[in-house]
């Protein structure tokens, strides 16, 4: 899946997620969840990575599901969990199987306004810089014997963490400024558009078609259930 | 006319601390000039000033005939290609070839395909064209960054610590690559061995210019080296010590080629003297 055009992946997954989010029939919601799991299994994204990412999203999914369960009953609560999980798994596969910059470039080529795609790209770069600085700072702290800050009563430890957190922002900001200078040196005009204008290949079209068929079938059954 | 003219350039930080004071020099087309000096001497600030990233300044900066002032920064930058110390600061796009095409595309230059291919070829990164740049080694990222700069065909290359963070192999490859380029270059560096291989001229700065000449001349100025906190390459140090021991070296070699010819000359002279006895 890594070799597919980012545009094909975005179109396929967004269509599927939109349809899955609209489903209300329990059987169809579980069918969408099963399809999402099948998609994950064929995506070649390591299962461990996906499970870890899903575990990160699980608290939010559970908050939504438990809220629905409390107000509308267990069936609706389980339905909410399955529906949200189907969407989250598909989106996690998309994010994991596509380089972030490819993803943003794909969005740009799909017609997302340049200000949005450029902001996404620059925000992503800034987050990477911050994460990089955070790791350096943590290593530097550990290298000098710091192991505090694990308890709310460890005031000295919390103070040090506060100082270093501030330093992370200062250093990341310095590097971000350098990055901006790098962009300006290369004639940046607030549009990180890609150069190659490749066409979608047969595999990309097949990928989109698969999602179109699956999503079409789900929505047809959904509408049929109310006919 | 010089391709770069700097006249009486001074700049202070926001808190009033002077960063550089009264710097003046000219660079001719095709010249390779090394800017050296201790940490905090103002080397990187000088580059930032030339590229129009630090204002306000006093003095004059003229790049390829265009004077730098408020509003002309973009025009001046078109003549410049800057290689940052950390290549991650200047690589943005999802693939190597996209990144190399980034500058020419922004500047609406012609024949982007040809420029990308030439830049990739001249930096030996053709095979990486479709790769994700952020996953490359530091040395390869430097090459990609150079390719991105070359594709814009700037009149002057500004290289900020080009050899920093490179392992010996990547460093020597990069020096070979830069050496093969017939371009005007200004490099800020601590790496005097690289300077010996690359630069025609050396400017020592420590806020202001302390020396302007060749590295071979600088090697004889022990006072200047000490004052500016500059360490000669190990090879030059060895010959300096041998000279102090009484060996008849006319100058302190700064490169392997110089050292070889100077050593051969001294050995020949010593042989002749022995035969004369």
């Amino acid at each position: 899946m890594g070799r597919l055009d980012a545009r094909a992946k975005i179109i396929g997954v967004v269509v599927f997620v939109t349809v899955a989010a609209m489903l209300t029939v329990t059987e169809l919601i579980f069918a969408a969840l099963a399809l999402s799991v099948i998609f994950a299994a064929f995506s070649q994204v390591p299962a461990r990575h996906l499970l870890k990412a899903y575990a990160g999203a699980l608290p939010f999914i559970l908050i939504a599901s438990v809220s629905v369960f409390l107000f509308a009953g267990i069936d609706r609560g389980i339905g909410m969990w399955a529906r949200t999980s189907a969407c989250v798994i598909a989106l996690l596969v998309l994010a994991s199987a596509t380089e972030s910059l490819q993803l943003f470039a794909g969005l740009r080529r799909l017609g997302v306004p340049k200000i949005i795609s450029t902001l996404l790209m620059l925000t992503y770069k800034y987050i990477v810089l911050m994460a990089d600085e955070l790791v350096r700072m943590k290593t530097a702290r550990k290298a000098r014997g710091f192991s505090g800050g694990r308890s709310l009563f460890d005031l000295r430890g919390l103070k040090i963490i506060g100082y270093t957190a501030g330093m992370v922002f200062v250093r990341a900001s310095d590097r971000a400024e350098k990055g901006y200078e790098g962009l300006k040196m290369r004639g940046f005009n607030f549009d990180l558009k890609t150069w190659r204008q490749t066409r979608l290949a047969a595999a990309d079209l097949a990928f989109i078609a698969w999602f179109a068929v699956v999503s079409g079938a789900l929505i047809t059954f959904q509408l049929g259930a109310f006919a | 006319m010089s391709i770069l003219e700097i006249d009486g350039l001074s700049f202070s930080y926001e808190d009033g601390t002077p960063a550089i004071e009264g710097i003046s020099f000219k660079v001719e087309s095709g010249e390779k000039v090394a800017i050296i000096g201790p940490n905090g001497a103002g080397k990187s600030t000088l580059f930032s000033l030339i590229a129009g990233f630090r204002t306000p300044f006093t003095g004059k900066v003229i790049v390829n005939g265009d004077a730098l002032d408020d509003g002309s920064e973009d025009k001046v930058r078109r003549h410049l290609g800057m290689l940052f110390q950390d290549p991650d600061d200047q690589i943005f796009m999802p693939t190597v070839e996209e990144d190399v095409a980034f500058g020419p595309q922004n500047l609406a230059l012609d024949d982007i395909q040809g420029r990308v291919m030439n830049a990739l070829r001249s930096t030996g990164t053709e095979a990486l064209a479709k790769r994700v740049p952020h996953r490359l080694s530091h040395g390869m990222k430097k090459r990609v960054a150079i390719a991105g700069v070359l594709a814009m065909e700037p009149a002057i290359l500004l290289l900020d610590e080009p050899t920093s963070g490179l392992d010996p192999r990547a460093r020597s490859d990069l020096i070979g690559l830069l050496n093969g380029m017939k371009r005007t270059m200004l490099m800020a560096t601590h790496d005097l061995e690289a300077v010996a291989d690359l630069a025609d001229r050396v400017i020592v700065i420590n806020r202001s210019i302390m020396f302007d000449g060749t590295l071979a001349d600088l090697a004889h100025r022990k006072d200047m080296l000490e004052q500016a906190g500059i360490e000669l390459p190990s090879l030059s140090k060895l010959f300096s010590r041998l000279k102090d021991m009484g060996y008849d070296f006319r100058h302190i070699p700064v490169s392997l080629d110089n050292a070889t010819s100077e050593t051969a000359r001294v050995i020949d002279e010593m042989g002749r003297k022995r035969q004369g006895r």
Side-chain angles (χ1 to χ4, degrees):
Chain A
M1 190 179 153
R3 288 186 183 174
L4 291 173
D5 190 301
R7 288 171 297 170
K9 288 189 255 186
I10 294 168
I11 295 171
V13 171
V14 167
V15 166
F16 175 75
V17 166
T18 309
V19 167
M22 292 193 299
L23 297 175
T24 53
V25 178
T26 310
E27 292 80 357
L28 291 178
I29 294 172
F30 276 95
L33 178 60
L35 285 165
S36 205
V37 172
I38 290 169
F39 171 48
F42 280 96
S43 68
Q44 293 173 328
V45 176
R48 204 179 151 158
H49 170 82
L50 271 182
L51 284 171
K52 223 170 145 184
Y54 180 74
L58 195 57
F60 302 99
I61 297 173
L62 287 179
I63 287 171
S65 309
V66 171
S67 309
V68 173
F69 159 66
L70 290 175
F71 291 103
I74 192 155
D75 287 354
R76 291 273 181 93
I78 290 173
M80 176 56 106
W81 165 77
R83 190 188 303 111
T84 323
S85 294
C87 297
V88 166
I89 291 169
L91 288 168
L92 285 176
V93 173
L94 170 68
S96 307
T98 320
E99 284 287 340
S100 305
L101 292 176
Q102 298 270 18
L103 201 61
F104 304 140
L107 286 170
R108 177 77 185 100
R109 292 195 61 197
L110 282 171
V112 169
K114 67 179 183 183
I115 190 74
I116 294 175
S117 59
T118 303
L119 271 177
L120 280 171
M121 263 176 156
L122 293 180
T123 307
Y124 169 74
K125 198 156 167 63
Y126 190 70
I127 290 170
V128 170
L129 281 182
M130 277 225 316
D132 195 28
E133 288 300 331
L134 186 67
V135 170
R136 283 189 201 193
M137 196 61 90
K138 273 171 118 175
T139 311
R141 243 172 20 202
K142 271 189 191 167
R144 295 176 67 191
F146 177 78
S147 60
R150 288 180 187 157
S151 148
L152 284 175
F153 298 106
D154 178 8
L155 292 180
R156 184 182 166 270
L158 291 174
K159 206 168 152 185
I160 290 170
I161 287 176
Y163 284 145
T164 50
M167 281 309 293
V168 166
F169 281 103
V170 171
R171 288 166 62 152
S173 160
D174 279 351
R175 283 185 65 187
E177 196 179 326
K178 273 269 167 219
Y180 181 67
E181 288 178 5
L183 283 166
K184 290 301 284 176
M185 283 307 294
R186 296 171 72 192
F188 175 58
N189 50 13
F190 296 93
D191 190 4
L192 288 164
K193 58 179 179 255
T194 52
W195 165 52
R196 290 255 187 233
Q197 301 294 314
T198 47
R199 288 176 173 224
L200 292 177
D204 301 317
L205 296 173
F207 181 85
I208 295 173
W210 189 83
F211 272 102
V213 168
V214 162
S215 306
L218 286 173
I219 205 77
T220 307
F221 285 125
Q222 168 76 28
L223 294 173
F226 288 101
Chain B
M1 195 179 73
S2 306
I3 200 160
L4 174 68
E5 288 182 52
I6 293 177
D7 187 19
L9 186 65
S10 298
F11 173 76
S12 298
Y13 296 118
E14 282 167 11
D15 63 359
T17 314
I20 57 171
E21 290 173 308
I23 286 194
S24 303
F25 65 89
K26 288 181 180 179
V27 177
E28 301 306 320
S29 182
E31 214 178 356
K32 292 179 179 171
V33 181
I35 309 285
I36 60 176
N39 285 334
K43 304 185 295 288
S44 298
T45 307
L46 176 64
F47 277 17
S48 285
L49 279 162
I50 295 172
F53 291 122
R54 298 279 179 276
T55 50
F57 60 83
T58 56
K60 260 195 256 174
V61 176
I62 302 171
V63 184
N64 211 14
D66 286 324
L68 179 67
D69 51 38
D70 244 1
S72 71
E73 296 94 341
D74 285 341
K75 198 175 172 192
V76 165
R77 281 180 206 134
R78 280 189 168 231
H79 304 303
L80 301 168
M82 197 191 293
L83 180 72
F84 288 73
Q85 195 170 338
D86 183 351
D88 281 325
D89 289 339
Q90 64 188 122
I91 294 176
F92 310 98
M93 298 304 279
T95 64
V96 167
E97 64 173 8
E98 287 285 354
D99 198 79
V100 175
F102 180 68
Q105 204 185 7
N106 286 333
L107 300 174
L109 301 177
D110 59 355
D111 188 21
I112 295 181
Q113 174 82 25
R115 285 168 183 273
V116 171
M117 288 305 131
N118 284 340
L120 292 175
R121 203 174 303 125
S122 59
T123 51
T125 50
E126 288 157 292
L128 308 176
K130 305 280 179 200
R131 297 268 300 271
V132 179
H134 302 280
R135 295 199 173 164
L136 299 175
S137 68
H138 190 72
M140 281 300 157
K141 280 184 189 173
K142 280 244 171 180
R143 280 176 174 257
V144 171
I146 294 174
V149 169
L150 289 182
M152 293 159 66
E153 294 182 3
I156 304 174
L157 289 181
L158 301 177
L159 314 171
D160 191 4
E161 298 287 357
T163 55
S164 73
L166 295 178
D167 62 48
R169 177 79 187 268
R171 180 185 163 281
S172 114
D173 286 350
L174 185 75
I175 290 172
L177 173 70
L178 295 173
N179 227 343
M181 290 179 191
K182 305 284 172 239
R183 284 176 183 277
T184 311
M185 284 182 201
L186 217 66
M187 65 194 98
T189 184
H190 283 110
D191 184 352
L192 284 200
E193 289 185 30
V195 171
D197 287 330
L198 284 171
D200 311 314
R201 180 178 152 203
V202 173
I203 296 176
V204 179
I205 65 167
N206 197 356
R207 285 195 194 157
S208 54
I209 292 184
M210 300 172 73
F211 175 87
D212 188 343
T214 64
L215 184 59
D217 290 339
L218 178 66
H220 287 279
R221 300 279 306 273
K222 282 191 178 169
D223 56 328
M224 173 67 58
L225 294 169
E226 233 165 71
Q227 211 181 332
I230 296 166
E231 286 269 312
L232 279 178
S234 312
L235 185 75
S236 305
K237 278 193 206 163
L238 170 70
F239 278 80
S240 179
R241 281 193 195 168
L242 289 171
K243 197 172 181 221
D244 291 345
M245 287 163 70
Y247 287 92
D248 183 25
F249 291 111
R250 286 181 195 153
H251 62 269
I252 309 292
V254 287
S255 69
L256 197 58
D257 287 345
N258 288 164
T260 312
S261 59
E262 190 62 5
T263 309
R265 187 190 61 74
V266 170
I267 292 171
D268 281 353
E269 272 184 15
M270 285 168 75
R272 255 182 258 130
K273 273 182 193 167
R274 270 190 199 150
Q275 277 175 352
R277 268 184 220 161

